Amino acid sequence: MLLAFGLGGGEILLLLFIVLFLVGVPFWGYKLGSVRTIGGGFGLLLALLLNLLGLLVVYLFPKIDNLVVADAPEQLRKYKELLDSGAITEEEYQSQKARLLK
């Protein structure tokens, strides 16, 4: 079909390459950003504006799964204080404790 428009093999490859960079890279930026702290929207925007360089910037942000609560003992103490004061229930305390100790 494209050959009917006078496009040869080289032009078709060039069109595929252009489509990959105009559509594929921003989609890739969105997917990368959605599992990182930057977010999908900013990943998409960076990939649209900066293309492959934008993807590298997205890769610099940490993954959401790798975020570790550094002050888990402190938070656990605060939840225990809330439990002792009656502000939260035992079930809420246990769920927060399980989340922090995961």
Side-chain angles (χ1 to χ4, degrees), residues 6 19 21 23-24 33 38 52 55 60 71-72 74-75 79 98-99:
V19 167
F21 275 96
V23 176
I38 192 171
L52 292 176
L55 288 178
L60 293 176
D71 59 341
E74 180 62 32
Q75 285 186 351
Y79 283 119
R99 180 184 63 84

Side-chain angles (χ1 to χ4, degrees), residues 36-101:
R36 297 181 182 277
T37 56
I38 192 171
F42 284 119
L44 174 72
L45 186 63
L46 281 172
L48 275 172
L49 296 176
L50 301 174
N51 215 332
L52 292 176
L53 184 62
L55 288 178
L56 291 174
V57 171
V58 172
Y59 268 116
L60 293 176
F61 285 86
K63 282 188 171 183
I64 294 172
D65 296 341
N66 292 343
L67 291 180
V68 178
V69 179
D71 59 341
E74 180 62 32
Q75 285 186 351
L76 198 54
R77 273 188 232 106
K78 288 181 183 178
Y79 283 119
K80 180 65 175 156
E81 290 172 8
L82 289 173
L83 174 67
D84 292 341
S85 69
I88 62 173
T89 64
E90 179 69 30
E91 294 83 24
E92 292 171 325
Y93 172 72
Q94 291 300 329
S95 71
Q96 292 299 329
K97 181 179 173 182
R99 180 184 63 84
L100 288 170
L101 298 178

